[in-house]
Amino acid sequence: MSFISYLKDGISLGSIYAIIALGYTMVYGIAKMLNFAHGDVIMVGAFVILTAITKAGLSPLLSVLIAIIFCTLLGITIESVAYRPLRKASSNLAVLITAIGVSYLLQNLALLIFGADAKSFVTVIDVPAVTLFDGKLVIKGITIVTIVACIVIMTCLTLFVKKTKPGRAMQAVSADRDAAQLMGVNVNATISLTFAIGSGLAAIAGLLLCSAYPSLTAYTGAMPGIKAFVAAVFGGIGSIPGAMIGGILLGVIEIMGKAYISSQVADAIVFAVLIIVLLVKPTGLFGKNIQEKV
């Protein structure tokens, strides 16, 4: 029964990684950029929710909506101010360094505004636990909400990309940005929409992460952001189903590593598994091989 309990915890943690990874995989798949500040947007979203509830006295639902809107606008701002001027840079290194700079900027602003002390996150999701097998297995409400949210978000995102006009525009920009622009696609608006969706998902991930692990600091989103990026690469960056599967597998590997090997080397095990997978399949589990024309 302990194995099932660990598996449940791994799927719950992996679902959070998957939601974060969806932001990474969308931005890279469409804009071909690695937004390493994405993890810090998670932290910003959690702080907005906490501030709206504790300082402004707003309801949890309204606070979450405000956080999603705030992070969406933040994502659009980051893209237009920091990344758009570098879109035609001769090297991707400039974008990578800028992303790291934006990440440190958000962390230090959070330190200045909220301080370095850890904040206790408020109870936002109040769903009763489910007891199975005569009380031997207890599934927390936040676990149920996290798993369901991951499945719903992945499904809606897949349908959005495949069935809607903005989604088809995203596919066109991903395939060939210049050709899409010649066909009348507004590339700037499409990439901004991609950042907006990814950042909005980051706010939801911040809510779920801090509800499951109720401690919030300026660095809360840093390590989950890195692990979610690993999950995106693991599943095949650019693939929406791959981000979900990669995130869940990563969460299960991490929890199992902590339970059966050592909590001190669990992170090392996660990255070691990634290295092995990439050695066998460099594009990730669901990634596609891209043949470059010479």
Side-chain angles (χ1 to χ4, degrees):
M1 192 60 66
S2 59
F3 174 81
I4 297 177
S5 180
Y6 294 142
L7 181 63
K8 173 257 299 180
D9 293 339
I11 293 174
S12 177
L13 178 61
S15 296
I16 297 174
Y17 289 157
I19 294 173
I20 305 171
L22 286 171
Y24 276 114
T25 205
M26 282 195 67
V27 169
Y28 181 81
I30 295 166
K32 299 297 184 289
M33 294 179 180
L34 293 176
N35 179 22
F36 279 116
H38 187 65
D40 298 289
V41 178
I42 297 168
M43 172 269 297
V44 171
F47 267 120
V48 171
I49 294 172
L50 181 63
T51 303
I53 293 176
T54 59
K55 302 297 184 182
L58 301 179
S59 67
L61 179 59
L62 183 57
S63 299
V64 172
L65 291 176
I66 291 173
I68 293 173
I69 294 171
F70 185 89
C71 288
T72 298
L73 295 175
L74 178 61
I76 295 172
T77 303
I78 291 173
E79 189 278 327
S80 61
V81 174
Y83 298 148
R84 187 177 298 178
L86 300 174
R87 199 177 293 165
K88 294 185 179 180
S90 58
S91 173
N92 289 330
L93 185 60
V95 178
L96 182 61
I97 293 173
T98 301
I100 294 172
V102 173
S103 173
Y104 280 115
L105 174 64
L106 293 176
Q107 289 178 13
N108 282 274
L109 285 175
L111 285 172
L112 288 172
I113 297 171
F114 301 104
D117 295 335
K119 306 293 188 297
S120 181
F121 199 71
V122 294
T123 301
V124 177
I125 300 174
D126 188 14
V127 176
V130 175
T131 304
L132 302 174
F133 305 110
D134 295 327
K136 294 181 180 179
L137 179 64
V138 178
I139 304 176
K140 295 180 180 179
I142 182 61
T143 299
I144 298 172
V145 171
T146 300
I147 295 172
V148 171
C150 178
I151 295 172
V152 170
I153 289 172
M154 194 278 292
T155 303
C156 291
L157 206 55
T158 301
L159 293 174
F160 174 80
V161 171
K162 291 185 176 182
K163 301 294 184 181
T164 67
K165 185 176 180 180
R168 289 192 289 270
M170 289 178 178
Q171 294 182 64
V173 172
S174 175
D176 192 322
R177 189 181 301 173
D178 293 332
Q181 190 166 13
L182 290 173
M183 294 298 293
V185 175
N186 189 329
V187 173
N188 288 335
T190 301
I191 294 178
S192 292
L193 178 61
T194 304
F195 271 83
I197 294 173
S199 298
L201 292 178
I204 298 174
L207 165 66
L208 297 173
L209 177 65
C210 291
S211 295
Y213 306 93
S215 179
L216 179 58
T217 71
Y219 307 106
T220 291
M223 184 54 72
I226 293 173
K227 289 180 180 178
F229 173 70
V230 171
V233 176
F234 192 10
I237 194 163
S239 168
I240 293 176
M244 180 180 174
I245 299 300
I248 291 175
L249 287 176
L250 199 74
V252 171
I253 291 169
E254 181 178 338
I255 295 298
M256 293 298 179
K258 288 180 178 179
Y260 292 107
I261 302 177
S262 170
S263 60
Q264 296 178 344
V265 298
D267 291 344
I269 294 170
V270 166
F271 291 108
V273 169
L274 172 69
I275 292 171
I276 294 171
V277 169
L278 292 182
L279 286 174
V280 176
K281 199 174 189 302
T283 57
L285 297 177
F286 292 87
K288 297 179 181 178
N289 292 316
I290 300 174
Q291 296 181 352
E292 295 185 359
K293 297 180 180 180
V294 179

